[in-house]
Amino acid sequence: MVTDGSLPFDKVGLFDLLAVFQKVLARADANEDLRDIFEDRFTVSDKIQFILGEMTQHSRIVFETLFTAGASRTEIVVTFLAVLELIRLKQIGVVQEGPFASIELVKLASAQSDYVVEETETESESEG
């Protein structure tokens, strides 16, 4: 239960997250150039590790700050998927101080300190 006056995750809602995500994508589309041709590969696991690292340094992170100004569309999508996965795993929660306020990510007290990346069967088959 959140006692600091902010809205708990069930009050923030997926549509609120998607609205912010769409704004971030619109910014990326406005800045899109040929960088997609030479784009780095991003994985959800890498972004999960990045977000958890940020969460150890800061008690709260504004959702939009996870997306750097020069981020490609692919990086933005992978980062968003990492956030959703961390929410699903109950590693982080989402709060909003009030209507139209910034959406923030908070590390949940019940979250384990380490995230273990599990290799899927298709990944191990493709490597072997």
Side-chain angles (χ1 to χ4, degrees):
M1 181 169 174
V2 180
T3 58
D4 62 1
S6 58
L7 299 174
F9 176 64
D10 62 339
K11 300 295 182 197
V12 173
L14 182 61
F15 291 110
D16 296 323
L17 280 175
L18 287 173
V20 174
F21 177 65
Q22 286 177 328
K23 288 181 195 175
V24 172
L25 277 180
R27 277 198 315 249
D29 287 343
N31 297 327
E32 200 67 38
D33 55 17
L34 297 178
R35 68 177 166 239
D36 281 337
I37 295 172
F38 305 105
E39 185 173 315
D40 292 329
R41 290 183 133 310
F42 300 100
T43 66
V44 174
S45 296
D46 291 340
K47 289 297 180 178
I48 285 173
Q49 292 293 335
F50 169 75
I51 293 167
L52 290 177
E54 290 293 310
M55 296 301 296
T56 60
Q57 296 176 11
H58 309 286
S59 61
R60 288 182 167 209
I61 299 174
V62 176
F63 178 66
E64 289 183 71
T65 61
L66 291 176
F67 309 99
T68 60
S72 67
R73 186 176 187 87
T74 302
E75 183 178 6
I76 291 168
V77 170
V78 171
T79 303
F80 185 67
L81 291 173
V83 168
L84 293 178
E85 181 67 7
L86 286 169
I87 291 168
R88 185 187 72 79
L89 294 171
K90 296 181 176 30
Q91 296 282 314
I92 62 174
V94 183
V95 296
Q96 188 175 29
E97 295 298 326
F100 308 108
S102 295
I103 294 175
E104 296 178 316
L105 307 177
V106 294
K107 187 163 182 132
L108 296 179
S110 62
Q112 297 174 353
S113 60
D114 294 324
Y115 172 78
V116 178
V117 178
E118 294 181 14
E119 193 174 7
T120 63
E121 291 178 23
T122 55
E123 289 174 340
S124 58
E125 290 172 3
S126 65
E127 291 176 2

